[in-house]
Each structure stands twice: as structure tokens, then as C-alpha cells.
Amino acid sequence: MAQARSCRVLIAGAGPAGLAAALYLLRQRPDLRGQVIALERSRHPRPKVCAGGLIPKTMHALAELDLALDVPAVSVRRGAAKTEIGQVDYRDGGVMCTVVRRDQFDARLARAARDAGLEIVEDCRVRDVRNRPDDVFVQTTAGDFSAEVLVGADGSGSRVRDALFTRSQESVGRALMLDVPAAGVDDPPYCFDFTCVAAGIRGYSWAFPCLINGRPYLNVGIYDQCPRAAVDPNRPKARLLDALAASFPDLPIPKSGQRGYKAFPIRWYAPRHSFIAGRVLLAGDAAGVDPLMGEGISYAFEHGKLAARAVDDFTAGRPGALAAYDHAMRRGACARKLRRLGFAARLFYGPRHKLFFRLAHLSRGTQRIGINWYNGADRLDEASIPTLIARWAGAVLFGARVG
Ligand SMILES: Cc1cc2nc3c(=O)[nH]c(=O)nc-3n(C[C@H](O)[C@H](O)[C@H](O)COP(=O)(O)OP(=O)(O)OC[C@H]3O[C@@H](n4cnc5c(N)ncnc54)[C@H](O)[C@@H]3O)c2cc1C
């Protein structure tokens, strides 16, 4: 049997979470150049089923890593959200979302990570993972590897997770999407439609402007947080394709068949889960992301940053570093935000959804805080509850600008 290839740090999956972990780590520890290997089952640029919406929080992370976003992108400065109560149009002057194509974006991250000293072994699928007393052992389709520590960043269907962590399907949502040609418009909005909640779907439809080969398109799709459950267990749930077509009646969206549709699971954050096992830690979709909207790229960067800190400490001889990672993933600022999004999902996608949508419609100030908090503008998402309440009260009572 061939000997396992050994290095100091292994990363399963070269998507945003794995590449962010490598980028942050190699910034902190340039001495690890050439000692960090990512195992990737595909080859960049590889397709990824995703709408490619980067919220401002992700743009802050790119700036922190000195990464220019030199791929085609659409900057979105206005949004529209439809609910069973009515429609809210929103703009605050700034860029609310930057829409990229994931094959190009991820290949850009991979290039930066390679330049920083990461080796990416492509066409290499992780098959099994075992913790051993002195290392972690990884079997792949391209041979065996061993390292001091492994970051499991291999997405929603994580093989690393299956090998070492409790299997659970209950926190896995589903999203499907389609690209349709669009008339080019200046200042295109991005649209969210939550009316499917009244039809039993715990989620929303979206339409994001994007560029494919330089031409304007709309990426349309629908997210269902709980494919096996309806909003009200006593009432039937609409089919996803019917709900998506109902959201955008003016768009050429086929209601049946799979032509053009791409579907993919989204694992969402559940705080009761473990995020470490022995020498292995989970990040990004493998750990779980936003339950409310299924947004995951900003969390890929957040988790990647936390994982990099933990791996830095662990490889510097501090064995408690991985437990600290687990703690941060349960109690840290990012975990707090994910827990609050889980709470919001229970309200807005629960039996009393109409009441909560009605409340959300009431005040412009509350909407502004909610959007800025969600987007991580001015780090509002890291603020304490008393700070948020004070800002909210200011916005509602005096119409003050927030965030
Ligand atoms: C339809 C849809 C729309 C979405 N839209 C948005 C959006 O607009 N904005 C947003 O922020 N998020 C969105 N998301 C979520 C977002 O795509 C994910 O949260 C994000 O990609 C997570 O990054 P990651 O690196 O954790 O996982 P991934 O991007 O899935 O990367 C995992 C990597 O691991 C590799 N891999 C998988 N298995 C193995 C294996 N066994 N061995 C080796 N390599 C492996 C994969 O090839 C991949 O490169 C959307 C998701 C879906 C499904």
C-alpha cells in the first residue's frame, strides 16, 4: 500500500469556506506555505449551484484579505420584497448586494489561495476520514493523506461530516434555480417574494440580476428551509416549481420538468450540533449557514476566519484551540447571528407568519435596521441586544438613520 502523503494542514473542499480558511491561515502563518493542502473533488473553474449574491459582509471579508473582486459582477442598489401583506421597495444609496457567477468567483479565490501558498489537489474526492492519536488520516480517490488537523469545508453534503459527526437530515434545506435572459436595465433591483409561505413553503423566491458571458440574465430560484415539512402541518404545501412560477408570472419559468433547473441542498446552522471531532473541524455549509435565507457565502468567510485562528493555535502547540473553535461556533458573534436567523425563520415561516410579516411592514426604520443588521453593514450584526434596541427605538421614534 502506498504511503499516505503527509502535510501539516488538510482542507477538504476548495469552495469559499475552505479557501477562506487557507487565505486567513496563510496570512497569519506564512511559515505554513507549502504545508497546507486542499483536496477538491472538481477542478476550478467548476460550476456551483448558487445565485452568487455577495452581501456587504462578504465584501468586508474580501477587503480584509486584500482581494480585489476582479470578476464580472452586478452591483445591486435597490431591492423589493413582496409578502402576503404587500410590497416593500428599498434603497439606501449604497450597494446592497454584489452578484457574481460562482465558477468565476471561486476560481478567483482559488488563484489567490494558490498565490498565498496553498496547494490544491483537484479531481480528488474525500472518501473517508479517521482520527488517529497523532494525526488525522484521509482516504481520497487520489490516494491517502495525513495531517495534524483537517478543516472539513466540503459543503452541504459533507463527506467529512458523514464520517465523523452525527448524521442528521433535519437541518437541510433545498434550493433550486434557473437563469433566464433579461432585458438589460440600469440600476437593476433584486427581488424577494415571501408569498409562498402562505402556500406552505418555508422560504422565498428570488430574482437576482446577473451577467452571463457579458449578457444580462436573471437568476431566479426558490429556497425551502424544510423540504419535508409545511408551514401548517394540516394544510397541503405547494410544489416548489408552481410557487416559483407564481412569484414571477411575467418571466418564462417552466412549471414542470427539470429543464434548465439546478437544485442543491443547503445545510443550515443548528447550535446543538458539534463542530469539532478529534482533530477535525467543520466550516461553511458543512457546519451550517443561514436558516432564514440560505445565504452562506458570508458564513463561509466567517467560519474560515475562525477555523484559521484555531488551526494557527493548534499547530503552534495549543491543543485546546479546537475546543475554543467549537465554543466560538456556538457562542461567538457569528453563532449569535445564526441563532437569531433561526429564530426569525421560526417566526416568519411558522403558523403565525402573517402577523410577523405585518409587523415587519409597519416601520421603515425597523426595515432599515433589519437589512443593515442582515448585511453586516458597519458591523451592526455584531452589536449587543441593548445597542440594537436603542438603535431601533431611535429609528422608530425619531426616524434616525441606522447603521
Ligand atoms: C440555489 C442556491 C442559491 C444560493 N444562493 C446564494 C447566494 O445568493 N448568496 C449566498 O451567500 N449563498 C447562496 N447559497 C449558499 C451558498 O452557495 C453556500 O452557502 C456556499 O457555497 C458555501 O460555501 P462552502 O465553501 O461551505 O461550500 P461549497 O461552495 O459547496 O464548496 C464545497 C467544495 O467542496 C467540494 N467537495 C464536496 N464534496 C467533496 C469531497 N467528498 N471531496 C473533496 N471535495 C469535495 C466541492 O466540489 C466544492 O468545491 C445558495 C445555495 C443554493 C443551493
Side-chain angles (χ1 to χ4, degrees):
M1 205 172 81
Q3 230 194 343
R5 186 170 166 203
S6 156
C7 63
R8 296 201 64 190
V9 181
L10 278 171
I11 298 172
L19 294 169
L23 284 162
Y24 278 111
L25 178 63
L26 289 161
R27 250 172 104 87
Q28 287 158 222
R29 291 282 302 277
D31 60 298
L32 287 177
R33 274 183 84 95
Q35 284 299 316
V36 185
I37 297 179
L39 310 169
E40 168 55 50
R41 74 173 171 197
S42 310
R43 180 166 283 276
H44 284 294
R46 55 104 180 84
K48 164 73 179 88
V49 182
C50 180
L54 310 181
I55 63 170
K57 183 93 181 168
T58 304
M59 303 306 282
H60 296 326
L62 294 177
E64 189 172 66
L65 287 164
D66 293 322
L67 263 176
L69 187 66
D70 50 7
V71 295
V74 177
S75 297
V76 177
R77 293 170 187 275
R78 62 191 179 104
K82 200 163 130 197
T83 74
E84 55 207 294
I85 309 301
Q87 178 158 325
V88 175
D89 295 301
Y90 187 84
R91 85 155 71 226
D92 69 0
V95 174
M96 297 165 71
C97 185
T98 305
V99 187
V100 294
R101 299 301 286 178
R102 282 291 302 275
D103 53 346
Q104 297 167 339
F105 179 68
D106 291 16
R108 168 71 185 97
L109 295 180
R111 183 156 47 87
R114 280 190 172 111
D115 289 348
L118 173 73
E119 181 184 347
I120 306 179
V121 181
E122 296 184 306
D123 299 321
C124 172
R125 180 185 288 269
V126 170
R127 278 187 168 147
D128 200 12
V129 182
R130 251 179 320 166
N131 273 301
R132 303 192 297 200
D134 298 322
D135 63 6
V136 51
F137 179 76
V138 181
Q139 272 183 319
T140 80
T141 49
D144 298 339
F145 293 79
S146 69
E148 289 171 40
V149 59
L150 167 72
V151 179
D154 49 344
S156 288
S158 171
R159 183 69 204 110
V160 174
R161 188 182 185 103
D162 282 353
L164 297 176
F165 295 76
T166 331
R167 286 186 186 215
S168 131
Q169 286 304 313
E170 83 219 35
S171 55
V172 179
R174 184 165 187 260
L176 56 86
M177 64 172 218
L178 175 79
D179 296 312
V180 296
V185 282
D186 282 340
D187 194 20
Y190 66 164
C191 304
F192 299 89
D193 182 351
F194 294 88
T195 56
C196 63
V197 180
I201 293 166
R202 297 191 189 189
Y204 68 98
S205 308
W206 73 82
F208 287 6
C210 61
L211 284 174
I212 304 178
N213 299 327
R215 288 170 193 266
Y217 274 76
L218 281 177
N219 177 275
V220 294
I222 184 161
Y223 165 65
D224 182 3
Q225 190 207 3
C226 300
R228 287 178 221 186
V231 170
D232 178 345
N234 301 314
R235 294 183 58 189
K237 174 173 177 169
R239 288 174 66 240
L240 285 190
L241 293 186
D242 292 340
L244 178 58
S247 288
F248 304 110
D250 299 336
L251 294 179
I253 301 175
K255 272 199 208 168
S256 62
Q258 295 300 310
R259 231 159 41 110
Y261 284 106
K262 293 174 190 144
F264 205 75
I266 300 180
R267 177 176 290 282
W268 40 269
Y269 178 81
R272 64 185 180 286
H273 290 169
S274 286
F275 301 98
I276 57 160
R279 295 169 172 270
V280 178
L281 38 87
L282 296 177
D285 273 14
V289 296
D290 167 8
L292 182 70
M293 305 295 283
E295 191 271 335
I297 303 174
S298 70
Y299 298 98
F301 280 85
E302 291 273 292
H303 293 175
K305 186 175 180 178
L306 291 172
R309 195 175 306 147
V311 168
D312 177 357
D313 286 349
F314 188 76
T315 51
R318 286 186 281 278
L322 300 194
Y325 178 77
D326 196 54
H327 186 263
M329 291 289 282
R330 290 165 194 283
R331 298 267 160 245
C334 169
R336 241 186 349 257
K337 184 172 179 182
L338 286 166
R339 279 204 308 272
R340 287 173 188 165
L341 287 164
F343 179 65
R346 287 196 293 282
L347 303 184
F348 287 103
Y349 305 152
R352 308 192 71 191
H353 52 91
K354 197 164 182 178
L355 169 68
F356 293 105
F357 282 122
R358 196 178 292 285
L359 290 175
H361 267 260
L362 282 180
S363 140
R364 257 343 239 187
T366 309
Q367 288 159 13
R368 202 181 320 128
I369 294 188
I371 292 168
N372 285 343
W373 176 82
Y374 186 86
N375 281 340
D378 296 336
R379 298 191 177 276
L380 191 63
D381 54 341
E382 294 169 24
S384 64
I385 290 277
T387 306
L388 285 173
I389 291 176
R391 296 237 193 158
W392 173 75
V396 172
L397 294 176
F398 310 113
R401 271 195 68 79
V402 193

